[in-house]
Amino acid sequence: MEQLLAEVEFLKEKVVKSERLNESIVKTAVDAIITIEEDGSIRSWNEAAQRIFGYHSNEIVNKSILQIFPNKYINTKVEIDIKRLVKIWLRNKIGQITELSAIRKDGTEFLVEMSASSWESNNQFFITGIFRDITERKQTDFSLQKLSHALNTTKEVVFMTDTDGVFTYINPQFTKMYGYEPHEVIGLKTPRIIKSPKNKRDFNLFWKKLLNKENIASSQYTNIKKDGTIINIEGSADPIINEEGEIIWFLGVHRDITERLKVLDHLKEALAKSKESDCLKSEFLATMSHELRTPLNSIIGLSSLIDESTPKEDVLEFNKIINSSGEHLLDIVEDLFDISLIESGQIEVVKRQVNLQSVLLEVDRLMKTEQDKLDKNHLELNLIVPKEYKNISISTDAIKLKRILKNLLKNALKFTEEGYINYGYNIYQVDDKTMVKFFIEDTGIGIHKDHQELIFEVFRQADGSFGRKHEGMGVGLSTAKKLIILLGGSIWVESLEGNGSSFFFTIPFEQENSLIELNSKLENDNKNTQLKTILIVEDDDSSYEFIKSVLELKNINYKRAENGKIAVEYCNNNSDIDLVLMDINMPVMNGYEASKQIKSVNPKLPIIAQSAYAIFGDKEKALQAGCDDYITKPIVMEDLLTLIYKFLD
């Protein structure tokens, strides 16, 4: 019996110890442990439940479990399940983990994770639920989701390695940029994947900084992709340190800046060109000032010396210099106009059948005059045309061809002090095309190979310094090249510095059905013009005096009208006018309107328009207004007389 009593006492003590242990566990648990009776009332409430839900045990024990759930569960399946907690829902959820919303004493709604178990005592059924506040965990999960989304969608390459440099993570952009799939990267060391032309010493220094917990600031370098392509990279690296101050990972961020560097290079190039353009502009303006003022100095200076007392010999000599300076000014203006009109696309190519030798003979005559002006008659100026091609005629723009040849020959004369200048043409075949190949050879100073392309740029010269020996604006060769391209050809130069230059250019060999040879001589000079009268419509006195002098020289009668209105009235009221020389730009009524009105009354009266504009479209406007022909200022006497004889039958 005593032994039995001892065993009973032992069991009681064991039960007491077990209950104390359970109470201790429940009391010290970090999760809320709540026991619920069969009717849903709360039987027990531990300290963690008090901390999590805010209710003291004496406030909640014996109250309904619904008190800790929000109203949103009312009239829902969840509410019904909770009311029938014991009989249906909890029994089905025994051993499962369920997430649901709960509500604190202060009304705050939050998420909990619940696990439940059932037990019986004295034939009474109980459920014990363990509730864990998962609000922070959910927030962390959400943050991780956002971070994961950001890493997956960012345009930056992001990767992580362990402290040995072994890849532990790469984002999709890594695969897109470097070409490696995750299974080809994870578990391998970075030098095997991110191959850089950096030397081993630089890489060891880079790694040493990271191990010393130093951040690697964003810097630029090059890497090699899987396919071998070299790309420019901007990257940074940072050690990730835990609470104990130990490095646990390294984070790397890369971005491809190849295109950005290309754009920067283009911008730098554009900036350099802009600076060069500014320098060229300044150089051009200075050169232009010099080139304009030099002939103007001769024109203004010498003309001021001429009066009644000036000896005839001096007047003739001064006149020769003034005329030469005026032609030089005209060349400058024409070069500038040509460049401007070509670059704006407002230049017209008018092809006609011309005899090549006749064109070159006319150019030769002009160059002989130029040679005399430059005091270089000691140079041999040789026109070379093969016998078999002397009577060749082609369809081209003769005016532009002459200008090309003049510019190239003037260039040769300028830079040749001794020796010779040979020029001419030949015919040769290129693929299926027949081309005329012109050449200009000189024994001048030559061109350095670095400058042979530059000389064809507008306002550029091989020597652009202010102290250069040879004058000019640097537009002659550029104009020639652009005109050659307009005619369908090309130009190039062969030269050695100090050993002369050879310029070559081509134009297409084209012919019309009927051959018309160019004749530069004046015709019809013997026509009887003494009975003819020309109306000079001109508001500018100096221009009028020039035309008047030309007509008097040829014994042609003339009258003057100072503007278009007077010209219209005179032509309408007089029948003695045989030809009208119509200036375009005049006060009261311009030449276009005056020509229209004159032609409306006298449609057969010939009108020759004269204009100082000389731009693309001006001639067409004059012809549309009724004019029969067109001549540009400054007017060359021979050209004016040719037109006059053409209309004065």
Side-chain angles (χ1 to χ4, degrees):
M1 187 65 179
E2 290 181 358
Q3 184 178 357
L4 182 59
L5 290 173
E7 288 179 359
V8 170
E9 288 297 326
F10 174 75
L11 290 172
K12 284 182 179 180
E13 185 177 350
K14 189 175 181 180
V15 170
V16 170
K17 286 182 178 179
S18 179
E19 289 178 348
R20 287 175 179 173
L21 178 61
N22 288 338
E23 288 176 0
S24 176
I25 292 172
V26 170
K27 185 177 182 180
T28 58
V30 295
D31 295 328
I33 301 176
I34 305 171
T35 300
I36 307 165
E37 295 182 2
E38 191 171 2
D39 62 358
S41 61
I42 297 172
R43 172 73 176 272
S44 67
W45 185 269
N46 71 342
E47 291 183 5
Q50 178 179 324
R51 184 180 67 255
I52 292 172
F53 289 95
Y55 292 100
H56 195 274
S57 59
N58 57 19
E59 296 178 286
I60 197 71
V61 172
N62 296 325
K63 301 289 179 65
S64 171
I65 192 66
L66 290 177
Q67 192 165 334
I68 66 170
F69 294 103
N71 292 332
K72 67 181 179 179
Y73 290 127
I74 298 175
N75 297 325
T76 66
K77 186 177 180 180
V78 177
E79 179 199 3
I80 295 171
D81 288 343
I82 293 174
K83 285 185 175 182
R84 303 171 66 186
L85 186 64
V86 178
K87 292 182 179 179
I88 300 174
W89 186 67
L90 280 178
R91 288 182 179 179
N92 292 334
K93 298 297 183 182
I94 298 299
Q96 298 183 24
I97 298 175
T98 305
E99 288 185 8
L100 67 161
S101 296
I103 191 165
R104 294 189 177 93
K105 180 180 178 180
D106 62 6
T108 305
E109 189 174 327
F110 66 107
L111 289 174
V112 295
E113 187 177 76
M114 183 191 79
S115 59
S117 61
S118 63
W119 52 283
E120 293 185 15
S121 177
N122 297 326
N123 296 322
Q124 189 174 356
F125 186 82
F126 297 94
I127 297 292
T128 297
I130 300 175
F131 296 83
R132 175 171 295 173
D133 185 351
I134 60 172
T135 303
E136 186 175 343
R137 191 183 78 190
K138 284 293 183 180
Q139 290 175 344
T140 301
D141 289 346
F142 181 65
S143 297
L144 289 174
Q145 288 176 3
K146 290 196 296 182
L147 178 61
S148 176
H149 178 74
L151 291 175
N152 288 334
T153 57
T154 182
K155 294 182 180 180
E156 313 292 328
V157 167
V158 181
F159 60 91
M160 294 180 69
T161 74
D162 62 17
T163 52
D164 293 323
V166 175
F167 280 105
T168 58
Y169 168 81
I170 64 170
N171 71 338
Q173 191 65 21
F174 186 101
T175 299
K176 184 177 179 181
M177 189 167 84
Y178 283 109
Y180 293 99
E181 297 294 334
H183 69 271
E184 298 178 285
V185 173
I186 304 302
L188 296 179
K189 285 194 173 184
T190 50
R192 290 187 59 185
I193 302 301
I194 303 180
K195 299 171 184 177
S196 174
K198 280 187 173 184
N199 58 46
K200 188 174 181 180
R201 181 174 173 274
D202 289 339
F203 183 81
N204 290 337
L205 181 63
F206 173 88
W207 196 250
K208 184 178 179 181
K209 284 186 176 182
L210 281 179
L211 293 175
N212 287 335
K213 303 178 183 179
E214 297 180 41
N215 295 334
I216 305 298
S218 181
S219 56
Q220 296 180 9
Y221 44 94
T222 55
N223 276 347
I224 304 174
K225 297 166 63 173
K226 181 181 178 180
D227 63 5
T229 305
I230 295 178
I231 53 175
N232 294 292
I233 293 298
E234 184 177 73
S236 60
D238 299 280
I240 299 175
I241 303 170
N242 63 14
E243 294 178 355
E244 287 75 32
E246 300 171 337
I247 298 175
I248 53 176
W249 292 301
F250 293 111
L251 176 69
V253 178
H254 287 179
R255 62 189 62 86
D256 186 348
I257 59 170
T258 304
E259 290 303 317
R260 187 208 301 175
L261 292 181
K262 286 181 181 178
V263 172
L264 286 175
D265 287 341
H266 288 322
L267 288 174
K268 289 178 182 177
E269 184 179 345
L271 180 61
K273 286 184 177 179
S274 176
K275 290 181 178 178
E276 182 183 18
S277 178
D278 288 341
C279 291
L280 286 174
K281 188 189 296 182
S282 299
E283 182 179 318
F284 166 69
L285 290 174
T287 303
M288 176 67 104
S289 176
H290 175 269
E291 291 298 311
L292 291 176
R293 289 176 183 275
T294 299
L296 282 172
N297 181 62
S298 299
I299 293 170
I300 296 172
L302 292 176
S303 60
S304 67
L305 296 178
I306 299 174
D307 56 23
E308 292 81 359
S309 63
T310 307
K312 180 180 178 181
E313 295 77 10
D314 290 348
V315 171
L316 293 175
E317 183 63 28
F318 291 171
N319 181 68
K320 181 179 177 182
I321 297 171
I322 290 171
N323 182 261
S324 174
S325 298
E327 289 181 355
H328 179 55
L329 277 177
L330 180 59
D331 284 341
I332 293 173
V333 173
E334 286 183 341
D335 279 338
L336 292 175
F337 263 110
D338 283 343
I339 287 291
S340 177
L341 293 175
I342 291 169
E343 292 185 347
S344 64
Q346 295 183 342
I347 194 164
E348 185 180 25
V349 175
V350 180
K351 291 186 177 182
R352 293 188 177 90
Q353 200 77 5
V354 296
N355 180 276
L356 280 181
Q357 187 176 9
S358 296
V359 172
L360 266 77
L361 286 172
E362 186 172 346
V363 172
D364 186 68
R365 179 177 59 81
L366 293 171
M367 286 303 103
K368 289 288 197 297
T369 303
E370 185 71 17
Q371 188 178 11
D372 185 56
K373 289 178 186 177
L374 296 174
D375 196 21
K376 290 190 175 182
N377 288 317
H378 59 284
L379 294 177
E380 292 184 33
L381 188 61
N382 305 312
L383 172 58
I384 302 172
V385 178
K387 290 182 179 179
E388 62 270 31
Y389 299 136
K390 282 189 175 181
N391 292 319
I392 289 292
S393 293
I394 67 169
S395 178
T396 191
D397 191 320
I399 294 175
K400 291 176 179 57
L401 178 58
K402 290 177 193 175
R403 185 143 194 84
I404 294 165
L405 290 165
K406 282 169 59 180
N407 283 3
L408 292 172
L409 285 165
K410 281 184 177 182
N411 185 73
L413 280 169
K414 183 192 300 184
F415 294 103
T416 304
E417 299 299 332
E418 299 292 338
Y420 62 84
I421 297 171
N422 294 336
Y423 66 103
Y425 64 88
N426 214 320
I427 310 295
Y428 77 116
Q429 200 78 13
V430 180
D431 298 329
D432 296 331
K433 293 183 178 180
T434 303
M435 306 293 287
V436 183
K437 181 179 179 181
F438 295 87
F439 63 89
I440 296 93
E441 302 172 347
D442 66 59
T443 55
I445 62 175
I447 306 165
H448 192 280
K449 62 180 182 179
D450 293 340
H451 296 152
Q452 288 178 14
E453 289 299 321
L454 178 145
I455 59 172
F456 292 109
E457 295 180 18
V458 65
F459 306 136
R460 296 296 297 267
Q461 300 183 61
D463 180 8
S465 64
F466 287 116
R468 63 181 183 270
K469 179 180 178 182
H470 304 283
E471 297 181 348
M473 294 188 302
V475 296
L477 293 180
S478 177
T479 303
K481 180 178 179 179
K482 293 179 186 296
L483 290 174
I484 289 166
I485 293 172
L486 274 177
L487 295 181
S490 59
I491 184 171
W492 67 98
V493 62
E494 296 174 5
S495 180
L496 287 175
E497 192 171 17
N499 288 299
S501 303
S502 294
F503 285 84
F504 302 93
F505 74 92
T506 61
I507 60 172
F509 182 86
E510 299 174 349
Q511 289 184 311
E512 295 177 355
N513 293 330
S514 59
L515 301 182
I516 304 172
E517 295 188 359
L518 179 69
N519 188 348
S520 62
K521 295 181 180 181
L522 289 176
E523 296 180 352
N524 301 318
D525 196 11
N526 58 351
K527 284 189 175 182
N528 184 11
T529 58
Q530 295 181 0
L531 300 178
K532 305 292 184 179
T533 302
I534 294 176
L535 179 64
I536 306 171
V537 187
E538 178 63 71
D539 65 310
D540 181 68
D541 291 337
S542 58
S543 296
Y544 167 72
E545 287 296 331
F546 167 70
I547 297 173
K548 168 189 168 184
S549 299
V550 171
L551 297 182
E552 287 178 346
L553 185 66
K554 296 298 179 180
N555 297 316
I556 301 174
N557 299 320
Y558 60 87
K559 295 185 181 297
R560 182 186 183 185
E562 286 81 2
N563 58 59
K565 184 178 180 181
I566 297 173
V568 172
E569 292 173 352
Y570 194 96
C571 290
N572 290 343
N573 298 323
N574 297 276
S575 59
D576 61 338
I577 302 300
D578 299 291
L579 176 68
V580 178
L581 292 177
M582 179 70 72
D583 185 33
I584 295 299
N585 186 30
M586 294 181 294
V588 185
M589 181 183 292
N590 63 44
Y592 298 128
E593 183 60 33
S595 297
K596 288 179 183 178
Q597 293 191 23
I598 291 172
K599 282 289 188 178
S600 67
V601 177
N602 300 288
K604 293 184 179 181
L605 179 61
I607 301 175
I608 299 174
Q610 47 172 331
S611 175
Y613 286 117
I615 60 174
F616 180 71
D618 197 47
K619 179 178 180 180
E620 287 69 21
K621 287 173 66 178
L623 296 177
Q624 288 173 6
C627 296
D628 298 276
D629 218 317
Y630 177 91
I631 190 170
T632 59
K633 296 178 180 180
I635 296 171
V636 178
M637 182 177 72
E638 290 82 1
D639 294 340
L640 176 61
L641 290 173
T642 298
L643 282 177
I644 290 173
Y645 294 145
K646 174 182 175 181
F647 290 102
L648 290 183
D649 293 328

